[in-house]
Amino acid sequence: MTNREILEIAMQQSAIDANCDKDDFTRKDNVIVASKKHPNARKYLEFPMQCTLISYGTNIVASIDMDYKDIVERYIEKYPLEHCFETPNMHVINKELEKHNMQVCFMAEYFLPDINKIPAIKCEYELRILDQADFTDLYTPQWSNALCEARKELDILGVGAYKDDKLVGLAGCSADCDAMWQIGVDVLPEERRKGIASALTSRLAAEILSRDKVPFYCCAWSNIKSARNAIKSGFRPAWAEMTVKPKDFVEKMNREL
């Protein structure tokens, strides 16, 4: 695959998730569409979406419950694209949505691999390719970024770093949709800052590409160490999303955290 083909695949998946056309992400004007569940959408998404703003850098596609169309339309047409995804402008839409018991919840940046720059990063420990059978006893807190216990059936491939036969780092990928697999990575605290995360991430990205799937990587904008790992592993920023959730969902997350 070429970088252009990878980007086209990602946009097509975003179009499925958002219930829009792939070309909507490259238009000069913003687009508002009604959120609707699609059988090929990313498995972890919940539908219908109250409001999700998606941008590949050219415009905003808003996939929403049309009850909030006026609020969303006023917002995305009033402020520049980049300001719609950050404070202070974000408070404007949050204030309006709170009247409907909704709040801004997730703000995430997504990365795609640069096919020409995925490095073969050396690691001082042995790297092993893992599959579902190897994950059975690994659904524990220290590996919660690499694996997801709630969706075990989607965790299908991984790379582990072993020190004297002990697992000290793990990158896993979730088959969130047919064409794209999402990478998550964990390293034990005492083994961090040794280049293990990037060695695992880049190796897993290469393994995913060899299976004709597109690896992608996601982190919060403020997660600097994760974004640095993505870039060091050969990934580049591709798109951003801001997601609105019911207020009780946000409050529940805050209690759990």
Side-chain angles (χ1 to χ4, degrees):
M1 285 183 280
T2 65
N3 284 337
R4 184 64 207 176
E5 288 170 336
I6 287 173
L7 181 61
E8 291 283 330
I9 289 170
M11 285 185 175
Q12 182 58 54
Q13 185 59 50
S14 290
I16 290 171
D17 299 339
N19 190 37
C20 68
D21 295 324
K22 176 175 66 66
D23 292 341
D24 286 340
F25 296 108
T26 56
R27 288 170 52 168
K28 293 182 179 179
D29 57 322
N30 295 322
V31 178
I32 296 178
V33 293
S35 176
K36 182 180 179 182
K37 186 175 182 178
H38 190 288
N40 295 327
R42 282 177 283 165
K43 300 294 192 300
Y44 57 86
L45 297 178
E46 297 180 356
F47 294 93
M49 300 177 186
Q50 284 77 30
C51 172
T52 295
L53 306 185
I54 307 165
S55 179
Y56 278 80
T58 302
N59 70 341
I60 294 175
V61 172
S63 183
I64 67 170
D65 180 329
M66 295 304 277
D67 287 345
Y68 311 121
K69 182 177 185 295
D70 290 344
I71 295 173
V72 175
E73 187 172 38
R74 284 196 303 269
Y75 181 69
I76 64 176
E77 294 305 327
K78 182 176 181 179
Y79 300 109
L81 183 162
E82 61 274 14
H83 293 175
C84 287
F85 288 82
E86 64 178 10
T87 56
N89 299 147
M90 187 187 68
H91 292 302
V92 173
I93 192 170
N94 195 66
K95 182 177 179 180
E96 290 300 313
L97 290 168
E98 280 190 320
K99 298 174 184 177
H100 302 271
N101 290 315
M102 300 289 171
Q103 289 183 326
V104 173
C105 185
F106 300 118
M107 293 190 294
E109 187 170 20
Y110 290 82
F111 298 76
L112 291 173
D114 183 334
I115 200 72
N116 302 310
K117 295 185 178 180
I118 298 177
I121 299 175
K122 293 184 179 180
C123 175
E124 62 182 285
Y125 302 133
E126 177 192 4
L127 301 186
R128 300 178 191 172
I129 305 301
L130 308 174
D131 58 26
Q132 279 187 323
D134 300 305
F135 299 150
T136 303
D137 298 325
L138 299 180
Y139 288 96
T140 55
Q142 62 261 47
W143 311 122
S144 59
N145 289 312
L147 303 173
C148 180
E149 188 169 16
R151 297 185 295 273
K152 290 181 179 181
E153 71 281 1
L154 301 181
D155 294 331
I156 58 174
L157 184 66
V159 179
Y162 288 83
K163 177 183 180 181
D164 299 328
D165 217 34
K166 175 188 175 182
L167 183 66
V168 297
L170 175 65
C173 68
S174 174
D176 292 335
C177 48
D178 182 61
M180 301 179 69
W181 293 357
Q182 181 171 192
I183 293 177
V185 62
D186 290 292
V187 177
L188 295 183
E190 64 271 21
E191 297 294 341
R192 293 172 185 168
R193 304 186 71 84
K194 297 180 179 180
I196 297 173
S198 55
L200 292 170
T201 304
S202 59
R203 177 64 183 277
L204 183 54
E207 292 291 333
I208 294 170
L209 286 164
S210 73
R211 290 160 173 78
D212 295 322
K213 303 295 182 181
V214 172
F216 71 105
Y217 189 105
C218 173
C219 70
W221 293 356
S222 58
N223 195 340
I224 301 302
K225 63 181 180 180
S226 186
R228 283 176 175 166
N229 177 58
I231 292 168
K232 186 177 179 181
S233 303
F235 287 76
R236 299 294 180 264
W239 80 97
E241 295 186 11
M242 184 173 80
T243 304
V244 170
K245 289 286 189 180
K247 188 175 180 180
D248 58 357
F249 177 92
V250 178
E251 290 176 347
K252 181 176 182 293
M253 286 199 68
N254 285 331
R255 287 195 299 271
E256 290 175 350
L257 291 174

